[in-house]
Amino acid sequence: MSSADTHPSTPTPVPSPAALAEALARYRPLFGQVVDEWDGFIDSLCRPLGTCIWSRPGRCDGAVPAAVLAAQGVPSAPVPWLADAPGTALMLPPGFKAGQHWWYCAGLAHAQEAVSQLPVLALDLCPGQRVLDLCAAPGGKTAQIALALGNRGTVLANDFAMDRIAALQGNLDRLGVVNVTTSRCDGGNYPAAAGPFDRVLVDAPCSSEGTLRRNPGLVAKLGPERSTRMAGRQRALLRKAVQLCRPGGRIVYSTCTFAPEENELVVADILAEQDGRLKLLPAPAWADLPGFVGGPGITLWQGRTLPADLAGCLRVWPHANDSGGFFIAVLEKEAAAPGLPEPEPLALALDDEDAEWCIGLAAHYGIAEPIAAQFRAHRQTRRGLHLAARDHVPPAAPRPEGSGLFFHRTNIRPPKLTTAGALLLGPQATRQVLDLDAAAERDAYLRRQTLRPTPAQTAACGSGQVIVRHRGYALGVAVLHRSGELESLFPRKWSGCTAAV
């Protein structure tokens, strides 16, 4: 949940180097010991940070966004040290608004700061693992986890506020993620009935000092008092992660701050509490990542000597990689440590009437393989039906906010495939598909304007609901009226895409 996943809404004047040096002066003693170039560090914080996106694996490869960007005249470059990430990462110019472009609406890519993608690599994920993202919103890391598992199995994504859960679910829906169940809990009190998990990510709320290049207004809020306040919550989150982790499993603790009070001191306290049942693993072989420069964790802070193995934590300094700042600790729970019982599974039911909805939808769009054979179709609310991965088995507790992807709204007449459902199932559709190849038509659809497609475009469509595509990629749903007009049903809440260019 660190702020490295988010983007500021309005620009704030960049503070002067002198103001930054004063605000961060307490870190000056670290330079020359665990990191070099104090002046380079301060200067890097005065430069805007580039925008980073990653391509959605399984929907397109990295060459697609790169080619589209090149056609728009936008330079992009692969991030070499993220070559092993689930999707191909591309660095774009500072200030580029990825969310205002059609390919973002189509779920071909997601914007996430480059350094923020490292914690998921440290989880060492393999298909079949059961994973908890304890502080998940706005969902970039959750989506990384889900897609690294092949969009199969069971991922739980938790956050504490309803609006944050809504943002999280929106990103998962756009990217076609079906192996995630979301929950709304205080992560420090997450119910033990949900566990155990093979992997737990604690991307903890923090003072966000590492995001100063994107959020320069934070400089007025920095100081040890804020970090001390944050540390109590961070210890509670990491303590809970240890409880929920399966014996022999892995926990990754990360923040986007420089403060040792929120980083090494938190890890040291939890290691001491566990009395040998938890060990700190040396950070993965960051030196093997092309072009990446990682720094060690600190072992001495303001007179407190920390265990020597805390040097195995990873610190990412902005001037070393032209990035934001980040901290990562990789922890392993002893195989002989006590574990939690397996959870009671949540029933994901589909009755006969709901099965008929799935059959009718597949027939309307010419989808050959039955939907219920591809996914765990189920009803969560009276609004309609959701799709989850076939092997997705969420726990009954905590009560989920949602499981899988809301794909078919059945409480209206006629029922309607959702935009997320269209993005997910569109590649399989052979009927009622309408291509908008011209950029002007595409943008009009995204702005919810009425169109009049040509007879050639509608030759394979009857009147009624259609899936709209651009360059072969689904954008959403529309209604083709008998008059020949095309009524866009692109959702207002996805309005960030209405400035598509």
mmCIF file of all heavy atoms in Angstrom, residues 85-130:
data_model
loop_
_atom_site.group_PDB
_atom_site.id
_atom_site.type_symbol
_atom_site.label_atom_id
_atom_site.label_comp_id
_atom_site.label_asym_id
_atom_site.label_seq_id
_atom_site.Cartn_x
_atom_site.Cartn_y
_atom_site.Cartn_z
ATOM 1 N N ALA A 85 10.106 -9.439 -14.071
ATOM 2 C CA ALA A 85 8.789 -9.109 -13.542
ATOM 3 C C ALA A 85 7.709 -9.736 -14.417
ATOM 4 O O ALA A 85 7.963 -10.087 -15.575
ATOM 5 C CB ALA A 85 8.621 -7.595 -13.469
ATOM 6 N N PRO A 86 6.481 -9.909 -13.889
ATOM 7 C CA PRO A 86 5.429 -10.577 -14.660
ATOM 8 C C PRO A 86 5.133 -9.935 -16.009
ATOM 9 O O PRO A 86 4.832 -10.630 -16.977
ATOM 10 C CB PRO A 86 4.211 -10.490 -13.725
ATOM 11 C CG PRO A 86 4.787 -10.411 -12.356
ATOM 12 C CD PRO A 86 6.059 -9.626 -12.507
ATOM 13 N N GLY A 87 5.171 -8.614 -16.115
ATOM 14 C CA GLY A 87 4.930 -7.931 -17.381
ATOM 15 C C GLY A 87 6.125 -7.085 -17.757
ATOM 16 O O GLY A 87 6.914 -6.670 -16.904
ATOM 17 N N THR A 88 6.312 -6.835 -19.057
ATOM 18 C CA THR A 88 7.443 -6.038 -19.517
ATOM 19 C C THR A 88 7.286 -4.592 -19.047
ATOM 20 O O THR A 88 6.274 -3.948 -19.320
ATOM 21 C CB THR A 88 7.529 -6.071 -21.053
ATOM 22 O OG1 THR A 88 7.682 -7.423 -21.470
ATOM 23 C CG2 THR A 88 8.699 -5.240 -21.547
ATOM 24 N N ALA A 89 8.287 -4.092 -18.342
ATOM 25 C CA ALA A 89 8.240 -2.733 -17.798
ATOM 26 C C ALA A 89 8.883 -1.760 -18.779
ATOM 27 O O ALA A 89 9.969 -2.014 -19.308
ATOM 28 C CB ALA A 89 8.950 -2.668 -16.453
ATOM 29 N N LEU A 90 8.204 -0.635 -19.000
ATOM 30 C CA LEU A 90 8.704 0.420 -19.876
ATOM 31 C C LEU A 90 8.737 1.727 -19.116
ATOM 32 O O LEU A 90 7.790 2.072 -18.407
ATOM 33 C CB LEU A 90 7.794 0.582 -21.100
ATOM 34 C CG LEU A 90 7.655 -0.603 -22.056
ATOM 35 C CD1 LEU A 90 6.596 -0.296 -23.106
ATOM 36 C CD2 LEU A 90 8.986 -0.905 -22.727
ATOM 37 N N MET A 91 9.838 2.471 -19.289
ATOM 38 C CA MET A 91 9.958 3.799 -18.679
ATOM 39 C C MET A 91 9.580 4.846 -19.715
ATOM 40 O O MET A 91 10.068 4.827 -20.846
ATOM 41 C CB MET A 91 11.383 4.040 -18.177
ATOM 42 C CG MET A 91 11.524 5.324 -17.386
ATOM 43 S SD MET A 91 10.487 5.375 -15.900
ATOM 44 C CE MET A 91 11.303 4.135 -14.888
ATOM 45 N N LEU A 92 8.696 5.767 -19.298
ATOM 46 C CA LEU A 92 8.182 6.822 -20.165
ATOM 47 C C LEU A 92 8.566 8.182 -19.587
ATOM 48 O O LEU A 92 9.041 8.275 -18.456
ATOM 49 C CB LEU A 92 6.659 6.709 -20.274
ATOM 50 C CG LEU A 92 6.082 5.315 -20.540
ATOM 51 C CD1 LEU A 92 4.562 5.370 -20.606
ATOM 52 C CD2 LEU A 92 6.640 4.741 -21.821
ATOM 53 N N PRO A 93 8.356 9.250 -20.315
ATOM 54 C CA PRO A 93 8.763 10.566 -19.818
ATOM 55 C C PRO A 93 8.012 10.953 -18.543
ATOM 56 O O PRO A 93 6.876 10.517 -18.309
ATOM 57 C CB PRO A 93 8.394 11.508 -20.966
ATOM 58 C CG PRO A 93 8.354 10.646 -22.179
ATOM 59 C CD PRO A 93 7.857 9.318 -21.703
ATOM 60 N N PRO A 94 8.618 11.792 -17.702
ATOM 61 C CA PRO A 94 7.919 12.299 -16.515
ATOM 62 C C PRO A 94 6.628 13.003 -16.907
ATOM 63 O O PRO A 94 6.565 13.700 -17.927
ATOM 64 C CB PRO A 94 8.927 13.287 -15.909
ATOM 65 C CG PRO A 94 10.255 12.839 -16.418
ATOM 66 C CD PRO A 94 10.008 12.297 -17.792
ATOM 67 N N GLY A 95 5.606 12.803 -16.085
ATOM 68 C CA GLY A 95 4.335 13.488 -16.313
ATOM 69 C C GLY A 95 3.418 12.819 -17.306
ATOM 70 O O GLY A 95 2.276 13.263 -17.483
ATOM 71 N N PHE A 96 3.859 11.757 -17.961
ATOM 72 C CA PHE A 96 2.990 11.071 -18.920
ATOM 73 C C PHE A 96 1.808 10.439 -18.195
ATOM 74 O O PHE A 96 1.986 9.715 -17.224
ATOM 75 C CB PHE A 96 3.778 10.002 -19.681
ATOM 76 C CG PHE A 96 2.975 9.292 -20.728
ATOM 77 C CD1 PHE A 96 2.816 9.850 -21.981
ATOM 78 C CD2 PHE A 96 2.375 8.074 -20.450
ATOM 79 C CE1 PHE A 96 2.075 9.197 -22.955
ATOM 80 C CE2 PHE A 96 1.629 7.413 -21.420
ATOM 81 C CZ PHE A 96 1.478 7.978 -22.675
ATOM 82 N N LYS A 97 0.582 10.697 -18.649
ATOM 83 C CA LYS A 97 -0.638 10.213 -18.007
ATOM 84 C C LYS A 97 -1.111 8.945 -18.712
ATOM 85 O O LYS A 97 -1.913 8.988 -19.647
ATOM 86 C CB LYS A 97 -1.728 11.286 -18.043
ATOM 87 C CG LYS A 97 -1.320 12.618 -17.430
ATOM 88 C CD LYS A 97 -1.026 12.488 -15.942
ATOM 89 C CE LYS A 97 -0.736 13.841 -15.315
ATOM 90 N NZ LYS A 97 -0.372 13.737 -13.884
ATOM 91 N N ALA A 98 -0.615 7.813 -18.260
ATOM 92 C CA ALA A 98 -0.946 6.552 -18.926
ATOM 93 C C ALA A 98 -2.434 6.272 -18.907
ATOM 94 O O ALA A 98 -2.989 5.731 -19.874
ATOM 95 C CB ALA A 98 -0.186 5.403 -18.262
ATOM 96 N N GLY A 99 -3.113 6.640 -17.815
ATOM 97 C CA GLY A 99 -4.522 6.319 -17.670
ATOM 98 C C GLY A 99 -5.432 7.039 -18.631
ATOM 99 O O GLY A 99 -6.634 6.741 -18.689
ATOM 100 N N GLN A 100 -4.915 7.962 -19.428
ATOM 101 C CA GLN A 100 -5.731 8.717 -20.368
ATOM 102 C C GLN A 100 -5.623 8.186 -21.788
ATOM 103 O O GLN A 100 -5.931 8.891 -22.749
ATOM 104 C CB GLN A 100 -5.348 10.203 -20.322
ATOM 105 C CG GLN A 100 -5.644 10.849 -18.974
ATOM 106 C CD GLN A 100 -5.267 12.322 -18.933
ATOM 107 O OE1 GLN A 100 -4.688 12.850 -19.873
ATOM 108 N NE2 GLN A 100 -5.604 12.983 -17.844
ATOM 109 N N HIS A 101 -5.222 6.921 -21.940
ATOM 110 C CA HIS A 101 -4.999 6.356 -23.262
ATOM 111 C C HIS A 101 -5.781 5.061 -23.437
ATOM 112 O O HIS A 101 -5.991 4.307 -22.486
ATOM 113 C CB HIS A 101 -3.506 6.130 -23.481
ATOM 114 C CG HIS A 101 -2.718 7.409 -23.499
ATOM 115 N ND1 HIS A 101 -2.362 8.047 -24.654
ATOM 116 C CD2 HIS A 101 -2.284 8.199 -22.481
ATOM 117 C CE1 HIS A 101 -1.719 9.173 -24.358
ATOM 118 N NE2 HIS A 101 -1.655 9.284 -23.048
ATOM 119 N N TRP A 102 -6.218 4.818 -24.670
ATOM 120 C CA TRP A 102 -7.122 3.701 -24.945
ATOM 121 C C TRP A 102 -6.540 2.369 -24.526
ATOM 122 O O TRP A 102 -7.258 1.484 -24.030
ATOM 123 C CB TRP A 102 -7.500 3.677 -26.431
ATOM 124 C CG TRP A 102 -6.402 3.188 -27.345
ATOM 125 C CD1 TRP A 102 -5.496 3.959 -28.004
ATOM 126 C CD2 TRP A 102 -6.115 1.836 -27.676
ATOM 127 N NE1 TRP A 102 -4.637 3.161 -28.727
ATOM 128 C CE2 TRP A 102 -4.999 1.852 -28.548
ATOM 129 C CE3 TRP A 102 -6.668 0.600 -27.332
ATOM 130 C CZ2 TRP A 102 -4.444 0.695 -29.085
ATOM 131 C CZ3 TRP A 102 -6.113 -0.565 -27.847
ATOM 132 C CH2 TRP A 102 -5.018 -0.510 -28.725
ATOM 133 N N TRP A 103 -5.236 2.180 -24.707
ATOM 134 C CA TRP A 103 -4.626 0.892 -24.387
ATOM 135 C C TRP A 103 -4.621 0.632 -22.884
ATOM 136 O O TRP A 103 -4.604 -0.513 -22.448
ATOM 137 C CB TRP A 103 -3.212 0.814 -24.964
ATOM 138 C CG TRP A 103 -2.383 2.061 -24.817
ATOM 139 C CD1 TRP A 103 -2.260 3.081 -25.711
ATOM 140 C CD2 TRP A 103 -1.574 2.424 -23.693
ATOM 141 N NE1 TRP A 103 -1.420 4.058 -25.225
ATOM 142 C CE2 TRP A 103 -0.984 3.678 -23.995
ATOM 143 C CE3 TRP A 103 -1.287 1.810 -22.479
ATOM 144 C CZ2 TRP A 103 -0.134 4.327 -23.107
ATOM 145 C CZ3 TRP A 103 -0.428 2.451 -21.590
ATOM 146 C CH2 TRP A 103 0.134 3.703 -21.917
ATOM 147 N N TYR A 104 -4.633 1.704 -22.101
ATOM 148 C CA TYR A 104 -4.759 1.538 -20.652
ATOM 149 C C TYR A 104 -6.181 1.104 -20.306
ATOM 150 O O TYR A 104 -6.397 0.203 -19.491
ATOM 151 C CB TYR A 104 -4.411 2.857 -19.957
ATOM 152 C CG TYR A 104 -4.056 2.700 -18.501
ATOM 153 C CD1 TYR A 104 -2.769 2.356 -18.128
ATOM 154 C CD2 TYR A 104 -4.999 2.910 -17.498
ATOM 155 C CE1 TYR A 104 -2.422 2.228 -16.800
ATOM 156 C CE2 TYR A 104 -4.663 2.777 -16.162
ATOM 157 C CZ TYR A 104 -3.370 2.432 -15.818
ATOM 158 O OH TYR A 104 -3.036 2.292 -14.493
ATOM 159 N N CYS A 105 -7.170 1.734 -20.965
ATOM 160 C CA CYS A 105 -8.567 1.347 -20.755
ATOM 161 C C CYS A 105 -8.792 -0.116 -21.115
ATOM 162 O O CYS A 105 -9.591 -0.806 -20.478
ATOM 163 C CB CYS A 105 -9.490 2.197 -21.617
ATOM 164 S SG CYS A 105 -9.364 3.958 -21.356
ATOM 165 N N ALA A 106 -8.120 -0.577 -22.155
ATOM 166 C CA ALA A 106 -8.288 -1.947 -22.629
ATOM 167 C C ALA A 106 -7.542 -2.962 -21.768
ATOM 168 O O ALA A 106 -7.569 -4.159 -22.073
ATOM 169 C CB ALA A 106 -7.825 -2.048 -24.082
ATOM 170 N N GLY A 107 -6.903 -2.497 -20.711
ATOM 171 C CA GLY A 107 -6.209 -3.407 -19.812
ATOM 172 C C GLY A 107 -4.956 -4.018 -20.404
ATOM 173 O O GLY A 107 -4.539 -5.116 -20.014
ATOM 174 N N LEU A 108 -4.320 -3.308 -21.340
ATOM 175 C CA LEU A 108 -3.079 -3.814 -21.927
ATOM 176 C C LEU A 108 -1.863 -3.460 -21.088
ATOM 177 O O LEU A 108 -0.780 -4.022 -21.307
ATOM 178 C CB LEU A 108 -2.896 -3.257 -23.342
ATOM 179 C CG LEU A 108 -4.023 -3.504 -24.340
ATOM 180 C CD1 LEU A 108 -3.602 -3.041 -25.727
ATOM 181 C CD2 LEU A 108 -4.432 -4.966 -24.362
ATOM 182 N N ALA A 109 -2.027 -2.535 -20.147
ATOM 183 C CA ALA A 109 -0.878 -2.098 -19.347
ATOM 184 C C ALA A 109 -1.374 -1.504 -18.043
ATOM 185 O O ALA A 109 -2.553 -1.153 -17.899
ATOM 186 C CB ALA A 109 -0.034 -1.078 -20.112
ATOM 187 N N HIS A 110 -0.442 -1.381 -17.107
ATOM 188 C CA HIS A 110 -0.741 -0.757 -15.816
ATOM 189 C C HIS A 110 0.429 0.139 -15.437
ATOM 190 O O HIS A 110 1.596 -0.204 -15.662
ATOM 191 C CB HIS A 110 -0.936 -1.826 -14.741
ATOM 192 C CG HIS A 110 -1.326 -1.264 -13.406
ATOM 193 N ND1 HIS A 110 -2.561 -0.695 -13.175
ATOM 194 C CD2 HIS A 110 -0.632 -1.156 -12.233
ATOM 195 C CE1 HIS A 110 -2.628 -0.281 -11.928
ATOM 196 N NE2 HIS A 110 -1.469 -0.527 -11.342
ATOM 197 N N ALA A 111 0.122 1.302 -14.867
ATOM 198 C CA ALA A 111 1.154 2.242 -14.433
ATOM 199 C C ALA A 111 1.534 1.952 -12.989
ATOM 200 O O ALA A 111 0.677 1.919 -12.107
ATOM 201 C CB ALA A 111 0.662 3.678 -14.565
ATOM 202 N N GLN A 112 2.810 1.756 -12.759
ATOM 203 C CA GLN A 112 3.318 1.475 -11.406
ATOM 204 C C GLN A 112 4.792 1.845 -11.366
ATOM 205 O O GLN A 112 5.570 1.421 -12.231
ATOM 206 C CB GLN A 112 3.131 -0.011 -11.064
ATOM 207 C CG GLN A 112 3.536 -0.374 -9.646
ATOM 208 C CD GLN A 112 3.339 -1.867 -9.375
ATOM 209 O OE1 GLN A 112 2.883 -2.612 -10.228
ATOM 210 N NE2 GLN A 112 3.684 -2.295 -8.177
ATOM 211 N N GLU A 113 5.174 2.599 -10.376
ATOM 212 C CA GLU A 113 6.562 3.030 -10.275
ATOM 213 C C GLU A 113 7.506 1.835 -10.342
ATOM 214 O O GLU A 113 7.239 0.775 -9.768
ATOM 215 C CB GLU A 113 6.762 3.804 -8.969
ATOM 216 C CG GLU A 113 8.134 4.432 -8.858
ATOM 217 C CD GLU A 113 8.267 5.293 -7.607
ATOM 218 O OE1 GLU A 113 7.248 5.831 -7.150
ATOM 219 O OE2 GLU A 113 9.396 5.411 -7.115
ATOM 220 N N ALA A 114 8.608 1.999 -11.040
ATOM 221 C CA ALA A 114 9.507 0.878 -11.306
ATOM 222 C C ALA A 114 9.986 0.205 -10.023
ATOM 223 O O ALA A 114 9.930 -1.026 -9.880
ATOM 224 C CB ALA A 114 10.701 1.365 -12.131
ATOM 225 N N VAL A 115 10.447 0.996 -9.057
ATOM 226 C CA VAL A 115 10.998 0.409 -7.838
ATOM 227 C C VAL A 115 9.909 -0.283 -7.020
ATOM 228 O O VAL A 115 10.181 -1.216 -6.259
ATOM 229 C CB VAL A 115 11.746 1.482 -7.026
ATOM 230 C CG1 VAL A 115 10.783 2.454 -6.366
ATOM 231 C CG2 VAL A 115 12.674 0.863 -6.000
ATOM 232 N N SER A 116 8.658 0.145 -7.194
ATOM 233 C CA SER A 116 7.546 -0.457 -6.477
ATOM 234 C C SER A 116 7.254 -1.875 -6.954
ATOM 235 O O SER A 116 6.514 -2.618 -6.294
ATOM 236 C CB SER A 116 6.302 0.417 -6.648
ATOM 237 O OG SER A 116 5.186 -0.130 -5.992
ATOM 238 N N GLN A 117 7.824 -2.264 -8.083
ATOM 239 C CA GLN A 117 7.599 -3.609 -8.612
ATOM 240 C C GLN A 117 8.560 -4.637 -8.023
ATOM 241 O O GLN A 117 8.364 -5.845 -8.210
ATOM 242 C CB GLN A 117 7.720 -3.580 -10.134
ATOM 243 C CG GLN A 117 6.701 -2.662 -10.794
ATOM 244 C CD GLN A 117 6.883 -2.551 -12.292
ATOM 245 O OE1 GLN A 117 7.077 -3.549 -12.993
ATOM 246 N NE2 GLN A 117 6.826 -1.323 -12.811
ATOM 247 N N LEU A 118 9.572 -4.204 -7.293
ATOM 248 C CA LEU A 118 10.574 -5.130 -6.760
ATOM 249 C C LEU A 118 10.062 -6.055 -5.654
ATOM 250 O O LEU A 118 10.460 -7.221 -5.603
ATOM 251 C CB LEU A 118 11.787 -4.347 -6.254
ATOM 252 C CG LEU A 118 12.664 -3.704 -7.329
ATOM 253 C CD1 LEU A 118 13.741 -2.832 -6.678
ATOM 254 C CD2 LEU A 118 13.312 -4.758 -8.220
ATOM 255 N N PRO A 119 9.206 -5.603 -4.718
ATOM 256 C CA PRO A 119 8.787 -6.518 -3.649
ATOM 257 C C PRO A 119 8.156 -7.814 -4.144
ATOM 258 O O PRO A 119 8.362 -8.873 -3.551
ATOM 259 C CB PRO A 119 7.791 -5.669 -2.843
ATOM 260 C CG PRO A 119 8.242 -4.262 -3.052
ATOM 261 C CD PRO A 119 8.715 -4.237 -4.473
ATOM 262 N N VAL A 120 7.403 -7.752 -5.228
ATOM 263 C CA VAL A 120 6.778 -8.969 -5.743
ATOM 264 C C VAL A 120 7.841 -9.936 -6.273
ATOM 265 O O VAL A 120 7.713 -11.153 -6.118
ATOM 266 C CB VAL A 120 5.736 -8.623 -6.817
ATOM 267 C CG1 VAL A 120 5.206 -9.879 -7.501
ATOM 268 C CG2 VAL A 120 4.576 -7.852 -6.178
ATOM 269 N N LEU A 121 8.911 -9.412 -6.872
ATOM 270 C CA LEU A 121 10.004 -10.292 -7.292
ATOM 271 C C LEU A 121 10.617 -10.996 -6.093
ATOM 272 O O LEU A 121 11.004 -12.166 -6.166
ATOM 273 C CB LEU A 121 11.076 -9.493 -8.035
ATOM 274 C CG LEU A 121 10.689 -8.840 -9.358
ATOM 275 C CD1 LEU A 121 11.904 -8.182 -9.992
ATOM 276 C CD2 LEU A 121 10.078 -9.845 -10.311
ATOM 277 N N ALA A 122 10.690 -10.291 -4.966
ATOM 278 C CA ALA A 122 11.307 -10.871 -3.773
ATOM 279 C C ALA A 122 10.456 -11.967 -3.141
ATOM 280 O O ALA A 122 10.954 -12.755 -2.334
ATOM 281 C CB ALA A 122 11.576 -9.765 -2.744
ATOM 282 N N LEU A 123 9.165 -12.038 -3.483
ATOM 283 C CA LEU A 123 8.303 -13.084 -2.927
ATOM 284 C C LEU A 123 8.660 -14.467 -3.445
ATOM 285 O O LEU A 123 8.291 -15.479 -2.836
ATOM 286 C CB LEU A 123 6.831 -12.791 -3.258
ATOM 287 C CG LEU A 123 6.149 -11.718 -2.423
ATOM 288 C CD1 LEU A 123 4.801 -11.351 -3.038
ATOM 289 C CD2 LEU A 123 5.962 -12.171 -0.978
ATOM 290 N N ASP A 124 9.348 -14.543 -4.592
ATOM 291 C CA ASP A 124 9.719 -15.846 -5.179
ATOM 292 C C ASP A 124 8.460 -16.693 -5.405
ATOM 293 O O ASP A 124 8.300 -17.778 -4.842
ATOM 294 C CB ASP A 124 10.713 -16.573 -4.281
ATOM 295 C CG ASP A 124 11.288 -17.826 -4.938
ATOM 296 O OD1 ASP A 124 11.386 -17.852 -6.177
ATOM 297 O OD2 ASP A 124 11.608 -18.791 -4.209
ATOM 298 N N LEU A 125 7.585 -16.191 -6.256
ATOM 299 C CA LEU A 125 6.288 -16.803 -6.459
ATOM 300 C C LEU A 125 6.336 -17.977 -7.423
ATOM 301 O O LEU A 125 7.092 -17.967 -8.399
ATOM 302 C CB LEU A 125 5.300 -15.761 -6.997
ATOM 303 C CG LEU A 125 4.974 -14.612 -6.045
ATOM 304 C CD1 LEU A 125 4.274 -13.490 -6.787
ATOM 305 C CD2 LEU A 125 4.114 -15.108 -4.890
ATOM 306 N N CYS A 126 5.493 -18.967 -7.159
ATOM 307 C CA CYS A 126 5.319 -20.122 -8.034
ATOM 308 C C CYS A 126 3.832 -20.452 -8.097
ATOM 309 O O CYS A 126 3.131 -20.343 -7.082
ATOM 310 C CB CYS A 126 6.073 -21.350 -7.525
ATOM 311 S SG CYS A 126 7.860 -21.165 -7.466
ATOM 312 N N PRO A 127 3.324 -20.863 -9.267
ATOM 313 C CA PRO A 127 1.918 -21.271 -9.345
ATOM 314 C C PRO A 127 1.584 -22.318 -8.291
ATOM 315 O O PRO A 127 2.393 -23.201 -7.992
ATOM 316 C CB PRO A 127 1.805 -21.838 -10.768
ATOM 317 C CG PRO A 127 2.851 -21.096 -11.540
ATOM 318 C CD PRO A 127 3.998 -20.931 -10.577
ATOM 319 N N GLY A 128 0.402 -22.196 -7.728
ATOM 320 C CA GLY A 128 -0.045 -23.121 -6.693
ATOM 321 C C GLY A 128 0.103 -22.586 -5.290
ATOM 322 O O GLY A 128 -0.476 -23.146 -4.354
ATOM 323 N N GLN A 129 0.844 -21.493 -5.124
ATOM 324 C CA GLN A 129 0.994 -20.917 -3.793
ATOM 325 C C GLN A 129 -0.255 -20.115 -3.411
ATOM 326 O O GLN A 129 -0.945 -19.572 -4.266
ATOM 327 C CB GLN A 129 2.223 -20.006 -3.751
ATOM 328 C CG GLN A 129 3.538 -20.750 -3.856
ATOM 329 C CD GLN A 129 4.721 -19.816 -4.030
ATOM 330 O OE1 GLN A 129 4.559 -18.689 -4.495
ATOM 331 N NE2 GLN A 129 5.898 -20.279 -3.675
ATOM 332 N N ARG A 130 -0.495 -20.055 -2.117
ATOM 333 C CA ARG A 130 -1.590 -19.267 -1.555
ATOM 334 C C ARG A 130 -0.974 -17.994 -0.984
ATOM 335 O O ARG A 130 -0.074 -18.061 -0.139
ATOM 336 C CB ARG A 130 -2.279 -20.088 -0.471
ATOM 337 C CG ARG A 130 -3.572 -19.533 0.041
ATOM 338 C CD ARG A 130 -4.295 -20.573 0.903
ATOM 339 N NE ARG A 130 -5.613 -20.102 1.284
ATOM 340 C CZ ARG A 130 -5.868 -19.446 2.410
ATOM 341 N NH1 ARG A 130 -4.905 -19.198 3.274
ATOM 342 N NH2 ARG A 130 -7.088 -19.028 2.672
#
